[in-house]
Amino acid sequence: MTVASTSILDRLIRPRLFVVAIASLLLAACSAGGSGASGSATSSAAASESESVAASASEDASKSADASASEGTTGASYSIEVASSPLGDILTDQDGNTIYRFTPDSENTSTCSGGCAETWPPLALEDGETVSAGDGVTAEIGTMTREDGTTQVTVGGLPAYHFAADAAAGDTIGQGVGGKWFVIGPDGAMNQGS
C-alpha cells in the first residue's frame, strides 16, 4: 500500500470512527441519564412513601395521645350518696363517711385551713377524679379549687368536709360542734338537728 492510499483511507475511515465514538458516548450518556432520572423518580417515590408512612404514624400517635388525655380527664368517678341516720337522711361519701358543712364558708370559698383542715379534712378529689351525685341526691354536686391547689367537693356550691373524730361509716360525731358544723341533707340543706 502506498502513502497516498493510506492517506485516503485515513481521511475516509477516521471521521467515521470519530462519529461512531461520539455516537457511542452519547448513547452511554443518555443511558446513564435515563437510569439516573429513573433512579431519581424511584428515589422521589420512596421519599414520598416514607413521608406518608411518617405522617400516618404521627397521626396515630396524636390519636393515641388524645385518647390518653381524654382518659386522664375522665378518670375515676367519686360518688356522693344518701344514707339513713338518727338525724334523718344525710349525705355521705361513697364509703359511707358523713359529709359536713361549715357555716362561715361561702360559695366556692373555704375558711377552714391549717389546723382546722386537719380536724375537718376537706372532701378532696385525686388528680383526674370526677364527682357525681348518687341515687336520691338532689343537691348540686360540684368542685372548687382550694388555696393549696387541691380540688374540694362542693354541695350546693359550698365546701364539703369530713370529721376526723368520726371513726366509722355512719358516725355523726361532728354534728353541731362549735355551733358551726352540720350534716347535710340530700337536697343540700344543712341539718341543724341534734
Side-chain angles (χ1 to χ4, degrees):
M1 189 175 278
T2 67
V3 173
S5 66
T6 304
S7 179
I8 291 170
L9 277 174
D10 283 346
R11 284 186 201 160
L12 292 175
I13 295 174
R14 282 190 184 170
R16 287 187 182 166
L17 288 175
F18 179 73
V19 169
V20 169
I22 295 290
S24 295
L25 286 172
L26 286 175
L27 281 173
C30 286
S31 233
S35 75
S38 168
S40 175
T42 304
S43 225
S44 264
S48 178
E49 185 177 339
S50 178
E51 286 170 9
S52 174
V53 168
S56 177
S58 172
E59 188 178 329
D60 290 346
S62 175
K63 285 180 185 173
S64 177
D66 288 346
S68 294
S70 177
E71 285 169 16
T73 56
T74 57
S77 181
Y78 192 94
S79 181
I80 303 303
E81 303 291 338
V82 175
S84 294
S85 79
L87 298 167
D89 285 346
I90 62 170
L91 293 183
T92 69
D93 66 12
Q94 61 192 15
D95 299 317
N97 301 304
T98 302
I99 297 173
Y100 297 89
R101 177 171 294 154
F102 187 39
T103 57
D105 286 350
S106 57
E107 188 169 350
N108 293 318
T109 305
S110 169
T111 57
C112 179
S113 59
C116 173
E118 290 176 16
T119 304
W120 299 91
L123 177 48
L125 299 178
E126 294 178 11
D127 287 345
E129 200 170 33
T130 59
V131 65
S132 61
D135 291 342
V137 178
T138 57
E140 180 186 349
I141 304 299
T143 62
M144 58 168 264
T145 303
R146 292 178 59 81
E147 285 183 7
D148 63 3
T150 58
T151 302
Q152 183 172 2
V153 173
T154 59
V155 177
L158 297 165
Y161 304 85
H162 289 303
F163 184 42
D166 282 350
D171 283 354
T172 56
I173 297 168
Q175 176 68 357
V177 170
K180 296 181 179 180
W181 293 94
F182 299 97
V183 297
I184 309 167
D187 61 355
M190 242 182 337
N191 178 341
Q192 294 180 303
S194 54

